[in-house]
Amino acid sequence: QKEVEQDPGPLSVPEGAIVSLNCTYSNSAFQYFMWYRQYSRKGPELLMYTYSSGNKEDGRFTAQVDKSSKYISLFIRDSQPSDSATYLCAMKVIGTDKLIFGTGTRLQVFP
Amino acid sequence: KAGVTQTPRYLIKTRGQQVTLSCSPISGHRSVSWYQQTPGQGLQFLFEYFSETQRNKGNFPGRFSGRQFSNSRSEMNVSTLELGDSALYLCASMRSAGSYEQYFGPGTRLTVT
């Protein structure tokens, strides 16, 4: 079993929809939780990070962490075609160097 | 500020050959991590360097090696290439070791035939 599980999709939604992307994890030592966005033929770019349980909002994006359920989510409001990309969750244990990534969910927002 | 630079962007090699990939981090960043990305396994951590020292290594065979120079530029080397080494190799730049804020380059697409 992988430490981080993520549904690969693809997820196809109409423009303006609310998108929910999710990851589950098994290692309770994870303390930092991140979401990256990767466009085709590009490297991942950091969208959001959270340290504790709860919600964090940044514009149209909201990251949610539920440590008791070992479950994290990224919500995208008013989705746009430019949001079409692969979204990767990543996690890190404090004091260690490496990030553990989910395999990514491919999102397509159609006009 | 210039981003992370990786060269070459694309590479085709034959089984048994070796390859060297290069990464220049963001100016002022002193730590570099390398990842292998494949469709089936996603991003997998290879190693991290800080101040020319390897701090951590992932679960890859010894054919995968790396180094970091005094100017923070990093190289990774794969010897005796296998078909399964075909992947996108990503370099991430960090201001300091162990940072969660990692800035990725565009990657080097390696194809082994």
Side-chain angles (χ1 to χ4, degrees):
Chain A
Q1 184 191 2
K2 290 185 177 180
E3 283 187 279
V4 179
E5 298 279 356
Q6 187 175 8
D7 188 331
L11 185 60
S12 186
V13 302
E15 184 175 354
I18 296 175
V19 175
S20 173
L21 303 165
N22 311 297
C23 288
T24 58
Y25 62 95
S26 57
N27 188 349
S28 57
F30 286 137
Q31 294 289 342
Y32 281 109
F33 304 90
M34 287 135 290
W35 285 96
Y36 283 81
R37 178 176 61 194
Q38 186 174 22
Y39 290 114
S40 180
R41 301 184 186 280
K42 301 277 189 181
E45 58 175 320
L46 180 63
L47 271 179
M48 297 186 70
Y49 73 91
T50 54
Y51 172 67
S52 58
S53 285
N55 293 355
K56 183 176 181 179
E57 192 173 312
D58 184 1
R60 297 185 295 113
F61 298 90
T62 299
Q64 189 175 80
V65 175
D66 182 348
K67 286 187 179 178
S68 62
S69 301
K70 296 190 181 66
Y71 190 88
I72 70 170
S73 299
L74 177 70
F75 297 96
I76 307 174
R77 290 183 300 281
D78 188 26
S79 56
Q80 302 294 310
S82 58
D83 295 327
S84 298
T86 296
Y87 289 80
L88 302 137
C89 63
M91 308 181 188
K92 181 177 177 306
V93 176
I94 290 179
T96 66
D97 296 339
K98 64 180 180 178
L99 296 183
I100 306 299
F101 282 85
T103 50
T105 299
R106 191 157 64 88
L107 170 67
Q108 185 175 9
V109 181
F110 56 90
Chain B
K1 180 156 75 167
V4 180
T5 304
Q6 289 188 247
T7 57
R9 291 293 310 278
Y10 302 92
L11 207 49
I12 299 175
K13 289 287 188 179
T14 305
R15 271 180 300 176
Q17 288 185 313
Q18 74 165 23
V19 67
T20 299
L21 312 180
S22 180
C23 170
S24 293
I26 294 170
S27 177
H29 286 196
R30 297 173 62 195
S31 187
V32 170
S33 285
W34 288 90
Y35 293 84
Q36 181 195 67
Q37 186 176 31
T38 58
Q41 297 296 318
L43 272 104
Q44 292 186 285
F45 174 80
L46 280 157
F47 25 66
E48 178 183 353
Y49 287 89
F50 175 73
S51 293
E52 302 177 67
T53 301
Q54 186 180 91
R55 282 175 52 88
N56 204 355
K57 192 177 192 303
N59 296 324
F60 279 83
R63 301 185 295 107
F64 291 81
S65 63
R67 58 178 175 168
Q68 186 181 34
F69 303 95
S70 58
N71 61 359
S72 296
R73 191 177 70 85
S74 178
E75 288 181 349
M76 67 163 281
N77 184 277
V78 188
S79 62
T80 320
L81 284 166
E82 300 177 359
L83 294 178
D85 297 333
S86 295
L88 181 67
Y89 290 89
L90 291 158
C91 164
S93 166
M94 295 153 285
R95 190 174 303 278
S96 59
S99 172
Y100 62 85
E101 285 190 271
Q102 302 197 10
Y103 299 89
F104 285 85
T108 294
R109 172 75 61 185
L110 171 65
T111 302
V112 182
T113 61

